[in-house]
Amino acid sequence: MITQLAIEICFDDVKVPKFIRERDKMMIKIGICDDSDQIVIKMSTIVKKIFLTRRVEHSVKCYTSGLKLLKDNLEFDIVFLGIEVEQNNGIEITNQLREYNSKIKIIYVTNYRDYQTSAPEMHAVQYITKPLSEKKVCEVINEALKNIEHTDKRNVFTCCSDKGFIKLRPSDILYLEFKNRKVNIITSTHTYSINSTMSKVYDELKFYGFGVPHKSFIVNFQSIHSIKGYEIKIRNGEVVPMAQRRAVEFKKVFFDYLNETYHML
């Protein structure tokens, strides 16, 4: 059991945030990308078998195109990535994935010759050489899961929403908007509405890299693609406004966050 921060917000009765203890049962999201259909199918089969054996809730998404992987813009925990994917070098794809999620665990799938050529660029990144070995895949998954548990601790934001009781990691949230007396929580796949105030929600999220560019918006710094003028482009393509009077302070807090976390990119 680990202590995890959560807040309880009942839809009809707003309560003061409080600490609770619970086991994290959140899903591990895995991406598999290689230009070989056979490699993708075999890797998917091995990965699913390992996670089912460990009884770890998981989802697996497969790709034979690096562009489709990036276009999906999903929040993966672990990605198995071929060094050469179509015309896109695996290392270039890695850099773009880490722009979206600095904590993602990337494992290269490569021929030994490819690894020897790319070793200086791959640093200490984990890799699997072909032909695939179930034992090696199991080893790197075990190491990745230990790393995820150690660095993330899976603090969970829980609340009663219009879609029922939900649990979200702060990193899953792109931004929040106050609209029609509700706080809308926007993720890459869903929007949830809760009965609360922006100030109460921000008090819980500010420790996880969130800022307030506008009285009606709270933004996850990790979700920011770019800032231009008084507009913040979110990585899902949406744009959040930044109030002129808040611009200087917001940018300062954002750049301080970047300075503190640049080593994880």
Side-chain angles (χ1 to χ4, degrees), residues 52 109 144 174 182 206 240 242:
L52 287 172
V109 181
L174 298 177
K182 305 288 184 182
K206 62 185 178 183
V240 169
M242 179 163 51

Side-chain angles (χ1 to χ4, degrees), residues 110-157:
T110 176
N111 293 312
Y112 183 68
R113 182 180 301 174
D114 293 335
Y115 172 72
Q116 285 181 314
T117 302
S118 305
E121 295 174 276
M122 290 169 67
H123 309 298
V125 174
Q126 290 179 299
Y127 71 98
I128 299 174
T129 56
K130 302 172 186 177
L132 295 177
S133 159
E134 184 173 331
K135 180 181 178 181
K136 180 61 176 177
V137 175
C138 187
E139 288 175 357
V140 296
I141 285 177
N142 287 340
E143 187 64 28
L145 290 177
K146 288 178 184 177
N147 203 327
I148 288 170
E149 182 178 357
H150 176 72
T151 58
D152 197 0
K153 297 301 183 185
R154 302 282 173 160
N155 292 306
V156 180
F157 183 83

Side-chain angles (χ1 to χ4, degrees), residues 157 170 173 176 200-211 218:
F157 183 83
I173 301 171
L176 303 93
K200 288 182 179 178
V201 176
Y202 178 64
D203 282 344
E204 295 300 324
L205 292 176
K206 62 185 178 183
F207 303 106
Y208 300 96
F210 285 74
I218 299 172

Side-chain angles (χ1 to χ4, degrees), residues 6 47 61 66-67 77 91 93 115 117 149 199 203 229 231 236:
V47 168
K61 184 83 172 179
L67 290 177
D77 295 294
I91 295 171
I93 296 173
Y115 172 72
T117 302
E149 182 178 357
S199 60
D203 282 344
E231 291 186 338
N236 66 350

Side-chain angles (χ1 to χ4, degrees), residues 34-42 64:
D34 194 281
D35 53 11
S36 166
D37 287 331
Q38 291 182 338
I39 293 294
V40 170
I41 293 171
K42 185 172 182 179
T64 54

Side-chain angles (χ1 to χ4, degrees), residues 4 7 12 76 78 106 117 123 167 184 193 200 225 254:
Q4 295 182 316
I7 75 169
D12 297 319
F76 291 111
I78 302 170
I106 296 176
T117 302
H123 309 298
K167 295 198 304 181
N184 294 322
S193 293
K200 288 182 179 178
H225 177 272
F254 176 52

Side-chain angles (χ1 to χ4, degrees), residues 205-223:
L205 292 176
K206 62 185 178 183
F207 303 106
Y208 300 96
F210 285 74
V212 184
H214 186 284
K215 66 178 182 180
S216 298
F217 290 89
I218 299 172
V219 175
N220 184 347
F221 291 146
Q222 291 185 37
S223 74

